[in-house]
Amino acid sequence: MATAVQHYTSYKARPFTREQRDTTTILFGGLTWKHERLVQGVFNNLNYKAKPLPNITRADLDAGKELIDVGACCPTIFTTGSLVNFLKTEVAENGKQKTIDDYVFLTAGACGPCRFGQYHESYEMALDGMGLKDFRLFLLAQDQLDQAPEKGGGLEINMPLSLGIVWAILCGDMLTDMEYQTRPYEVNPGDTDRVMKESADYLFEVFQKRPIHGKKWGLLAWHFLSSYFADALRVVKKKFDAIEVDRLQVKPKIKITGEFWLQTHEGDGNYNIKHWLEQEGSEVMPPPVAVWLGYLLHTPIWRLQKKAVVDRKVKFKMAMVRGMERLYVGTYNRFRKALGNVPYALPDQEELKKLASPFFHYELRGGEGHMLVGKALHAHLHKQANMTCELSPYSCMPNTMSQGAMANVQGRYPELLYAPIEIKGDAEVHALSRCQMILTEAKKRAQSEFVEAMARTGMTIEKAREIEAKRPELKKATYRIPHLGYASTAANYVMHLAGAKAAAV
Amino acid sequence: MQTWFGKKASAGSPPPSPRKDRSGIRVGIPKVLNVWSTSQFWVGFLRDLGIESENIVFSSDTSEEQGREFGKGRGTVDCCYPVKSISGHYGELIFGQKKKINIILSPMIYSLPSFMRGHVSETLACTRVMAGPENIKAGFMKESDVFADNGIKYASPFLSMAEPDVVPKQMYDCLKDVLDVDYAEIEHAVEAGYRELRAFNKRMRDASREIMAWCARENKPCVLVLGRPYHMDPGIGHEIESDLQAHGYPIVWLQYLPIDDDLLNWIFGEEVQAKKIRSPLDISDVWTSSNSSNTNEILWGAKFAARFPWITCVLRLSSYECGMDQPTYTPTQKIVEAAGTLFFKFGDLDSTKPAGSIRIRIETIVHYLAKYSDKIIQKKLALLPADCPLLAEKEKTLVAAASNQP
């Protein structure tokens, strides 16, 4: 029998051994620079060398398109291109072998059948195309905190690493919420960005010096119970205290939703749309990564409910999941409290499900599932935002489905301002002009809210300035403005100054 | 290939009695997406509940006319054609029936009862496929409830068809009021549905085996279609394989490849023994994220084609903007071509059949099949053990002799 044919086999990473840890840098990416900086601290804390990939640029789109199969969604193209461009630079500067030896790339996996779970196929194809098939690429399943030791033991995906990353994400969300609630109103331009940089550097140190108490359950308990991170966030609060803001500027509040990578990203990958919205005179409500983690934590409850007829241990399992969920939300709220409760609370997953149910089944998986519908309705009905801007990658599979279902939502709620923006990466003018059309209406609504609040309370700008002069804490970035029935900050601020009760929603 | 009507009441335990009279209820099912691989489940399920065969109405094959006449203005978003075309199917069931439909049953199939289950991570449906009904429904409800306006009940059960033990509850939650059924009836009907589906799949696999055995006996090539179940729809797959069949080449679809132990052991046995794979249905050697049911099957089909001697050519069908297919383009081609099997991809298939270009490509394929099939068969035969289970003893000897030739 002949044996000459070598059947195709997919990419298999070479081992990354424990001995190679000191000389090998773990590359990662996919979040904001703040989150990535803190995650870097977690890696360093566990004696790994780690480095986030440079922020995404337009050039990454071109590099990605060159090397992967046609028809990929833009997050796949951008993230592949980002890795490609980094490696190209390294190869040019240090040579192929040194690049292969000095770096490994860690990427998230899972997400069921959506292409997100298959990004690594694109990375592998790109590595093959670059002649770097020996470069090492590892998958981090986002729904497993403790995985079997990865090949070679160089990278251990265990509780200390996974918990560190989750806590870094929560703290990153806190910083992001503070940033986007402060910058639009800062009196001295640049203050927020400066404080953000200082805060991220400070928290980086905090994560780098995180004490490791126990290996598994002890460590888990320490993360939930220790005041280590909350204390650090109190230090961050003091930094933000120094920023003076003027919340009498009327700005529409724009909630960002969409595909996970695109909504989280800050840069060319989504036309820098959050920054652009701020430049256009808006306040942006950024999407916390914690909502996604909360969704992952909550969905087993729904699955278990279905299994109730065939699984006797369901009640116990559900109690366990609910307990973990309470601890998770409790930790998030503790962090919020450390920052004066300025960051937004997490939405209740059951409420998102209930709101989305008539339009999109909550068990449909892939991407953000029913949450896109739920979040848009949540923001609208609770008057959290004047407009929802949904960022959808071109050819994103799950996102297009929930976006289609939004036609039904809009039929039922015609007053909901919804801007679905398709992002291809290379059609910026088209996307932004589409967003601007709806933003015009959002601005009008914010202005109407402000006028209404002034009329209801009899407040004037002069009176407001007098109150501010008497109570300087009002002008601090960390002063929490209660939600008094309006979406825009200025209207709520006027109500608050006047001591008015919540407007009828 | 499929029959789109019920044949006879399924065998098995008698239905719970007394059963309500549902003989007058007409149920319309959009013949789209994964209904192409589960249709017989629906036939068995509904018949067991007392719905008459003639009252189980599948919409017609997809066509541009159907979309124009019944789906125009109902689309809510731009996406792949197999999902977009559902608007026409819904519309046809609402507006295009001589005898009125009472219920539209459009399942959201979350996971599939794939033959690969247990050998892969998951057997989930594509995210667009499972959510398609919610998307299309929106187009019929955004201004007013078109279903209710036409006296039709709309039912869209969310189904984990890969987990038969949870399906009765999922069905019951959705259909208890729509069909006025109790849980025991549903449980019985689900069982009947699975039985019908298994029997149908077995018949189809046996038929494929027969074709392949003929090819083996006659030493003739056949062609494997690598596509998703809905590519069997003439309006989606554009009957490209039929054009090739007209040239005398037998066609088999990956969905109905034979999976008998003797055949799989012949093809994959050595790799299992060498621990390259865990079982003949394992695809971990070629694909890491084995979550998507149809993607898994496509990759396994590619592996099968790469090894089975008499499949000398693979036709890859893929619809425009298919996000599930996109990451598999290169891997499937590399898998198939590793041992010299011919690979031809028809990608970006949309609503219009590009008849001219298809004809030219079919001529090219026929040319290559005629020129290279014998060599491909010999080459692949030489890679496998001599005892092909598809051959009678006499033929086995001949093949063994051929495989020993240099």
Side-chain angles (χ1 to χ4, degrees):
Chain A
M1 196 180 2
T3 52
V5 168
Q6 180 67 47
H7 278 293
Y8 170 83
T9 54
S10 61
Y11 169 90
K12 299 278 182 283
R14 282 184 304 122
F16 168 31
T17 65
R18 191 176 275 272
E19 294 72 43
Q20 292 168 338
R21 263 192 206 174
D22 294 341
T23 55
T24 308
T25 302
I26 297 168
L27 299 171
F28 63 97
L31 298 167
T32 72
W33 70 270
K34 293 145 278 186
H35 293 87
E36 288 169 358
R37 181 87 173 115
L38 307 194
V39 169
Q40 189 181 14
V42 174
F43 277 115
N44 292 355
N45 172 248
L46 296 168
N47 301 317
Y48 293 107
K49 286 172 77 180
K51 184 174 174 178
L53 285 172
N55 204 12
I56 296 286
T57 64
R58 176 67 176 73
D60 296 334
L61 186 77
D62 300 330
K65 273 184 185 169
E66 274 177 31
L67 287 165
I68 62 176
D69 273 328
V70 70
C73 59
C74 85
T76 312
I77 304 172
F78 267 119
T79 51
T80 306
S82 171
L83 177 65
V84 165
N85 279 336
F86 177 83
L87 293 177
K88 268 185 189 169
T89 310
E90 284 299 314
V91 169
E93 285 175 8
N94 302 313
K96 191 184 265 190
Q97 195 55 46
K98 189 163 167 52
T99 304
I100 288 170
D101 291 340
D102 284 359
Y103 293 101
V104 300
F105 181 60
L106 181 64
T107 182
C111 201
C114 167
R115 208 168 356 191
F116 173 57
Q118 296 167 17
Y119 276 16
H120 64 93
E121 301 288 350
S122 298
Y123 298 141
E124 289 159 18
M125 193 180 295
L127 292 177
D128 197 17
M130 294 173 76
L132 292 174
K133 219 175 172 182
D134 283 340
F135 181 82
R136 289 160 294 179
L137 172 74
F138 296 104
L139 273 180
L140 172 64
Q142 55 182 344
D143 50 357
Q144 290 172 32
L145 290 181
D146 202 19
Q147 296 171 42
E150 280 298 331
K151 293 172 185 177
L155 174 67
E156 290 177 72
I157 300 174
N158 53 17
M159 289 282 253
L161 178 65
S162 299
L163 286 174
I165 291 175
V166 172
W167 261 245
I169 286 172
L170 300 188
C171 290
D173 282 349
M174 293 295 138
L175 285 184
T176 307
D177 259 11
M178 293 299 294
E179 174 189 7
Y180 282 92
Q181 288 187 59
T182 305
R183 190 167 44 220
Y185 302 101
E186 66 186 5
V187 172
N188 301 309
D191 274 2
T192 311
D193 289 346
R194 178 180 48 76
V195 167
M196 279 300 293
K197 171 89 176 61
E198 284 172 22
S199 302
D201 285 344
Y202 167 70
L203 286 177
F204 166 78
E205 295 286 332
V206 167
F207 276 94
Q208 205 173 28
K209 291 173 184 162
R210 172 183 62 146
I212 301 293
H213 293 282
K215 283 188 177 172
K216 222 168 184 178
W217 300 112
L219 188 69
L220 185 68
W222 181 82
H223 275 78
F224 282 127
L225 300 172
S226 164
S227 63
Y228 180 77
F229 299 104
D231 289 343
L233 289 171
R234 281 185 200 102
V235 175
V236 170
K237 181 175 179 284
K238 282 185 185 152
K239 293 178 191 291
F240 272 89
D241 273 341
I243 303 177
E244 186 186 350
V245 293
D246 175 12
R247 292 193 180 98
L248 284 171
Q249 300 174 68
V250 182
K251 291 171 186 280
K253 201 182 273 186
I254 314 299
K255 184 175 177 68
I256 302 287
T257 65
E259 184 272 338
F260 177 80
W261 183 83
L262 217 48
Q263 64 168 1
T264 308
H265 177 67
E266 295 170 342
D268 287 357
N270 59 11
Y271 308 134
N272 226 328
I273 199 160
K274 294 174 198 169
H275 183 59
W276 176 83
L277 280 164
E278 283 189 356
Q279 282 181 328
E280 290 293 310
S282 319
E283 178 188 341
V284 170
M285 264 183 99
V289 181
V291 177
W292 170 251
L293 297 179
Y295 170 70
L296 290 182
L297 200 54
H298 194 81
T299 44
I301 293 176
W302 297 329
R303 280 203 287 277
L304 287 167
Q305 282 168 344
K306 292 278 172 193
K307 293 259 183 192
V309 279
V310 290
D311 187 347
R312 288 178 188 171
K313 292 179 182 168
V314 151
K315 280 187 182 170
F316 173 72
K317 289 178 187 170
M318 277 171 61
M320 289 284 286
V321 178
R322 282 190 205 283
M324 284 298 287
E325 194 179 23
R326 276 201 197 106
L327 286 168
Y328 173 75
V329 175
T331 302
Y332 195 81
N333 287 338
R334 215 147 56 99
F335 290 176
R336 288 177 57 233
K337 196 175 169 190
L339 289 164
N341 280 322
V342 173
Y344 300 104
L346 293 175
D348 175 25
Q349 287 293 338
E350 284 296 328
E351 191 187 358
L352 292 182
K353 169 193 161 187
K354 196 177 159 194
L355 289 171
S357 275
F359 311 99
F360 205 80
H361 198 281
Y362 66 96
E363 285 179 288
L364 290 168
R365 266 179 79 194
E368 299 259 312
H370 68 282
M371 283 203 297
L372 292 179
V373 175
K375 285 196 276 191
L377 277 170
H378 188 270
H380 173 65
L381 296 173
H382 290 286
K383 295 215 171 181
Q384 280 191 334
N386 298 102
M387 167 182 147
T388 294
C389 178
E390 182 177 327
L391 305 179
S392 175
Y394 164 72
S395 92
C396 173
M397 294 187 293
N399 215 197
T400 42
M401 292 299 99
S402 50
Q403 211 175 76
M406 280 300 290
N408 196 1
V409 176
Q410 286 183 292
R412 204 84 65 88
Y413 300 92
E415 68 284 9
L416 190 157
L417 267 190
Y418 170 65
I421 308 295
E422 186 181 73
I423 309 261
K424 280 181 138 177
D426 55 3
E428 185 171 358
V429 174
H430 173 74
L432 296 184
S433 66
R434 185 173 151 69
C435 190
Q436 201 161 35
M437 282 191 286
I438 301 160
L439 183 61
T440 307
E441 176 58 25
K443 283 180 178 175
K444 282 184 198 164
R445 290 195 186 179
Q447 189 62 39
S448 303
E449 284 184 348
F450 186 71
V451 170
E452 187 185 297
M454 295 283 257
R456 284 180 58 161
T457 56
M459 182 65 66
T460 61
I461 296 289
E462 292 70 31
K463 271 193 210 170
R465 294 292 182 213
E466 277 172 30
I467 298 169
E468 283 179 337
K470 284 178 195 160
R471 294 173 59 194
E473 73 273 15
L474 287 167
K475 299 202 77 176
K476 285 184 180 176
T478 51
Y479 187 88
R480 181 175 171 267
I481 309 302
H483 185 248
L484 294 171
Y486 291 108
S488 60
T489 299
N492 284 319
Y493 186 54
V494 166
M495 294 286 283
H496 180 58
L497 291 181
K501 288 184 181 167
V505 176
Chain B
M1 189 181 277
Q2 311 240 27
T3 51
W4 298 103
F5 48 86
K7 283 182 179 170
K8 58 183 178 182
S10 43
S13 55
S17 55
R19 194 167 68 180
K20 295 186 180 76
D21 179 16
R22 300 190 183 94
S23 58
I25 299 175
R26 279 173 71 76
V27 180
I29 301 178
K31 196 173 70 184
V32 297
L33 308 175
N34 284 328
V35 168
W36 279 88
S37 59
T38 60
S39 64
Q40 301 308 304
F41 170 88
W42 297 103
V43 171
F45 172 77
L46 290 169
R47 278 202 49 90
D48 196 76
L49 288 174
I51 310 287
E52 297 291 338
S53 299
E54 60 270 26
N55 285 341
I56 301 171
V57 183
F58 288 95
S59 53
S60 333
D61 294 339
T62 303
S63 66
E64 286 187 271
E65 298 71 36
Q66 181 194 52
R68 266 198 303 273
E69 193 174 351
F70 301 114
K72 205 174 174 189
R74 300 286 175 195
T76 55
V77 77
D78 188 32
C79 63
C80 59
Y81 183 59
V83 170
K84 254 191 309 197
S85 71
I86 306 175
S87 296
H89 289 263
Y90 273 37
E92 185 195 288
L93 290 170
I94 298 169
F95 306 114
Q97 303 297 314
K98 282 184 186 160
K99 209 172 161 189
K100 206 169 164 47
I101 296 285
N102 305 106
I103 297 164
I104 286 184
L105 183 57
S106 182
M108 291 185 275
I109 301 175
Y110 170 74
S111 64
L112 288 152
S114 168
F115 61 92
M116 296 184 70
R117 196 150 175 89
H119 302 269
V120 289
S121 306
E122 260 295 2
T123 55
L124 302 175
C126 156
T127 52
R128 274 184 177 165
V129 167
M130 66 171 90
E134 294 288 48
N135 182 297
I136 300 302
K137 178 184 80 175
F140 287 83
M141 295 188 74
K142 58 186 176 183
E143 281 135 14
S144 71
D145 186 343
V146 175
F147 305 106
D149 295 347
N150 287 276
I152 292 172
K153 291 179 185 171
Y154 177 80
S156 184
F158 175 91
L159 292 180
S160 311
M161 289 193 75
E163 300 170 82
D165 53 349
V166 300
V167 171
K169 174 152 173 47
Q170 292 173 325
M171 280 294 200
Y172 179 69
D173 287 348
C174 177
L175 298 177
K176 60 184 176 214
D177 297 327
V178 176
L179 281 168
D180 188 20
V181 283
D182 60 39
Y183 189 78
E185 277 184 291
I186 286 278
E187 214 171 17
H188 191 273
V190 166
E191 213 176 278
Y194 276 111
R195 200 163 46 242
E196 197 81 18
L197 181 61
R198 278 194 299 271
F200 174 78
N201 287 344
K202 167 101 179 50
R203 283 201 301 278
M204 295 303 291
R205 290 189 197 290
D206 288 349
S208 295
R209 181 170 173 135
E210 222 172 276
I211 292 168
M212 290 158 77
W214 179 85
C215 290
R217 278 197 308 274
E218 304 295 323
N219 217 26
K220 299 276 189 196
C222 65
V223 175
L224 176 75
V225 182
L226 272 191
R228 294 180 184 265
Y230 48 72
H231 287 119
M232 294 174 198
D233 183 339
I236 304 278
H238 298 306
E239 300 179 296
I240 294 167
E241 78 286 359
S242 303
D243 292 348
L244 194 54
Q245 196 178 29
H247 288 270
Y249 292 100
I251 306 289
V252 285
W253 283 77
L254 89 96
Q255 283 77 10
Y256 299 113
L257 281 174
I259 49 171
D260 308 303
D261 286 346
D262 59 345
L263 186 59
L264 295 193
N265 285 333
W266 180 61
I267 296 171
F268 295 106
E270 288 192 351
E271 288 169 77
V272 175
Q273 275 175 9
K275 298 195 169 158
K276 289 179 181 169
I277 46 176
R278 292 184 302 268
S279 72
L281 296 174
D282 182 10
I283 54 167
S284 61
D285 54 331
V286 295
W287 193 246
T288 312
S289 304
S290 57
N291 292 307
S292 163
S293 185
N294 290 331
T295 298
N296 293 342
E297 291 180 10
I298 285 172
L299 285 148
W300 181 78
K303 281 181 67 180
F304 188 101
R307 289 158 177 82
F308 185 75
W310 296 279
I311 294 176
T312 60
C313 172
V314 165
L315 274 192
R316 177 83 206 266
L317 304 182
S318 180
S319 293
Y320 168 71
E321 223 200 53
C322 180
M324 297 312 296
D325 277 347
Q326 181 267 326
T328 70
Y329 291 154
T330 299
T332 46
Q333 183 169 356
K334 284 187 174 175
I335 293 167
V336 169
E337 289 180 342
T341 308
L342 301 169
F343 182 90
F344 295 93
K345 181 187 150 207
F346 288 81
D348 285 345
L349 297 173
D350 215 327
S351 57
T352 308
K353 177 175 182 173
S357 62
I358 287 176
R359 197 180 316 120
I360 292 168
R361 291 202 68 198
I362 292 291
E363 282 169 15
T364 308
I365 295 168
V366 167
H367 168 77
Y368 277 95
L369 271 167
K371 191 170 179 186
Y372 293 110
S373 282
D374 285 347
K375 279 184 192 164
I376 294 168
I377 293 170
Q378 291 309 313
K379 183 179 177 187
K380 292 205 283 187
L381 263 177
L383 297 168
L384 290 166
D387 55 341
C388 172
L390 296 178
L391 291 170
E393 287 305 316
K394 194 175 137 192
E395 279 93 359
K396 276 185 192 170
T397 318
L398 290 173
V399 172
S403 64
N404 286 331
Q405 283 176 7

